Amino acid sequence: MLTSTLVVQATGGLDRRDFLRRSGFTAGALGALGTLVLSGVRKSEAGPPPAPGSVVTTRKNICTHCSVGCTVIAEVANGLWSGQEPGWDSPINRGSHCCKGAAVRDDVQSERRLRYPMKLVNGGWNRISWDQAINEIGDKLMEIRATSGPESVFWLGSAKFTNEAAYLNRKLAAFWGTNNSDHQARICHSTTVSGVANTWGYGAMTNSYNDIRNAKTIMIMGGNPAEAHPVSLQHVLEGKELNRAK
């Protein structure tokens, strides 16, 4: 299968339908959307608090807003995410949330969340079918590939990808015929990695939150963690108040 596919691709006989079918374009797109099951899409509302006696289950998870990894305890009643609490046993957020984490339920419940393809037409967003979206995207991709070659497209991954979605994204780029595949952090962190690597010899975080709490001297330059990073501020305050850091 793979050999015949590569032969067809090399000879230019790969049409849009074959490309989408063989590359798993649809599966990759859905994987990037968090393995969304189309038949299971439905309107979800927070609703009133569950009635007395209702079964409320808790599900432990991690907030997806940033890379800190705060623990979120979701409360689910009647199939709806009805409430949440921060994880008190988490060594990171230790029973608290920042404003984004406190509102993470809106990622699921918000009426502004996209649940189907939208197309901008004459300045307005219109809902279209999945078939139309896949067909139009596939047609345009194949047009670009035919006129400008596979190297003309850059497949950019996302920090919101799961490991599986990142794997699919890379495989899709390879099947497309290019090595132009990377992660969005290459853009937003290339300068910081270069600076940190040249300063400390390592291109990523060099310390943990435990080091903040156990430090004897803490220097904050050009930052305001009370506004920008209240979770880390807890560790700063603990280092100051319990460890008597300067």
Side-chain angles (χ1 to χ4, degrees), residues 28-137:
L30 295 182
L33 291 173
T35 61
L36 179 66
V37 180
L38 297 184
S39 60
V41 174
R42 62 182 175 85
K43 185 177 181 180
S44 179
E45 298 177 351
S54 298
V55 177
V56 178
T57 59
T58 59
R59 299 180 183 177
K60 190 174 185 180
N61 215 314
I62 296 176
C63 179
T64 59
H65 269 297
C66 73
S67 62
V68 172
C70 296
T71 299
V72 177
I73 307 297
E75 299 171 349
V76 181
N78 298 321
L80 297 177
W81 189 353
S82 59
Q84 73 179 68
E85 292 290 342
W88 289 90
D89 60 346
S90 168
I92 305 299
N93 56 314
R94 309 171 80 211
S96 69
H97 279 324
C98 72
C99 59
K100 292 180 179 179
V104 72
R105 194 162 59 105
D106 286 342
D107 289 353
V108 176
Q109 311 290 5
S110 175
E111 291 297 323
R112 299 180 63 186
R113 178 189 177 189
L114 286 179
R115 292 175 171 84
Y116 37 75
M118 301 287 287
K119 182 179 181 180
L120 185 62
V121 179
N122 297 325
W125 290 101
N126 297 324
R127 178 176 178 175
I128 61 175
S129 68
W130 285 98
D131 284 341
Q132 180 182 347
I134 292 173
N135 287 338
E136 290 191 12
I137 293 172

Side-chain angles (χ1 to χ4, degrees), residues 160-169:
K160 297 298 184 182
F161 272 9
T162 61
N163 286 339
E164 293 76 15
Y167 177 85
L168 285 172
N169 183 73

Side-chain angles (χ1 to χ4, degrees), residues 167-179:
Y167 177 85
L168 285 172
N169 183 73
R170 177 66 190 93
K171 287 296 184 181
L172 180 59
F175 187 83
W176 175 264
T178 182
N179 196 40

